[in-house]
């Protein structure tokens, strides 16, 4: 039931903010997946931590509640980054959320590798300071010597930290 409520809230939010989104789809020779323009995405506040959907991996069953805030109220509460609205998500008490520094520590990412770009499920995380992961959603973490995929946005060439996580479906 909570999974259904999550998807209903997410669908409502996407429809509510649809006029502000720049939605692009991967070319036909790749797995089709919509990505949202980072400038137009609603802010996500998960257990008090600010992020955006392009920098997250969550398991819907770990979500306790979602609140949608739009307009001036969103900006007053969360600042200019909330101009396209806010999804406030509260997770169940036992959910472990990893921000960027917690992620580096948890997965023993060396100081040298912390400067590498981060790719989450084949999508480049441009502003990695917004990375926020439900630890139970992470399948694997690897340091890749060369990225074996292309996304319709510019990806840096060379090494990267690749995070494979369960995707919300």
């Amino acid at each position: 039931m909570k999974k259904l409520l999550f998807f209903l809230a997410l669908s409502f939010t996407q429809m509510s903010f649809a006029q502000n989104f720049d939605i692009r789809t991967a070319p036909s020779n790749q797995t089709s997946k919509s990505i949202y323009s980072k400038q137009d995405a609603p802010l996500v506040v998960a257990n008090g931590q600010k992020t955006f959907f392009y920098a997250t991996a969550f398991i819907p069953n770990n979500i306790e509640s979602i609140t949608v805030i739009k307009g001036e109220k969103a900006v007053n509460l969360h600042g200019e980054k909330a101009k396209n609205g806010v999804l406030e998500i509260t997770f169940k008490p036992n959910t472990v959320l990893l921000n960027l520094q917690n992620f580096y520590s948890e997965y023993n990412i060396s100081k040298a590798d912390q400067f590498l770009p981060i790719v989450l499920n084949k999508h480049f995380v441009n502003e990695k300071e917004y990375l926020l992961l439900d630890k139970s959603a992470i399948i694997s973490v690897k340091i890749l010597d060369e990225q074996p995929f292309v996304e319709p946005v510019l990806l840096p060439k060379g090494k990267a930290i690749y995070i494979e996580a369960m995707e919300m479906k």
Side-chain angles (χ1 to χ4, degrees):
M1 183 65 173
K2 286 186 180 183
K3 189 173 184 179
L4 176 63
L5 289 174
F6 172 76
F7 289 115
L8 288 174
L10 183 60
S11 296
F12 167 75
T13 302
Q14 288 177 342
M15 286 186 294
S16 297
F17 300 122
Q19 70 275 10
N20 295 326
F21 276 108
D22 172 20
I23 300 178
R24 294 171 282 161
T25 305
S28 60
N29 62 342
Q30 298 177 5
T31 303
S32 180
K33 178 170 178 140
S34 294
I35 57 174
Y36 304 103
S37 168
K38 293 162 185 62
Q39 300 90 334
D40 298 328
L43 180 69
V44 175
V45 179
N47 284 7
Q49 298 181 68
K50 293 179 180 180
T51 186
F52 294 95
F53 272 119
Y54 67 86
T56 63
F58 300 143
I59 293 181
N61 288 341
N62 289 342
I63 294 173
E64 194 167 274
S65 67
I66 299 174
T67 303
V68 177
I69 304 171
K70 294 174 34 177
E72 195 174 306
K73 183 177 179 183
V75 174
N76 290 338
L77 286 171
H78 297 286
E80 189 59 29
K81 290 235 183 229
K83 69 181 181 226
N84 294 312
V86 176
L87 285 177
E88 289 183 344
I89 302 174
T90 303
F91 285 85
K92 293 177 182 175
N94 294 332
T95 303
V96 177
L97 296 177
L98 302 173
N99 63 21
L100 183 63
Q101 291 308 314
N102 299 135
F103 168 76
Y104 287 152
S105 296
E106 183 72 28
Y107 290 91
N108 299 314
I109 306 296
S110 72
K111 290 281 186 197
D113 287 341
Q114 290 179 15
F115 293 100
L116 294 174
I118 293 178
V119 179
L120 174 62
N121 289 340
K122 299 182 182 178
H123 295 282
F124 175 56
V125 178
N126 188 35
E127 298 171 292
K128 61 185 183 179
E129 66 272 15
Y130 287 106
L131 187 73
L132 189 61
L133 306 168
D134 178 341
K135 184 178 174 186
S136 60
I138 298 172
I139 296 169
S140 69
V141 175
K142 302 172 189 166
I143 305 295
L144 300 179
D145 288 329
E146 186 68 32
Q147 298 167 27
F149 42 80
V150 177
E151 181 178 54
V153 294
L154 183 63
L155 275 175
K157 298 285 184 203
K159 289 180 75 170
I161 299 170
Y162 182 69
I163 304 167
E164 181 183 3
M166 290 183 233
E167 295 190 59
M168 294 181 279
K169 295 186 180 195

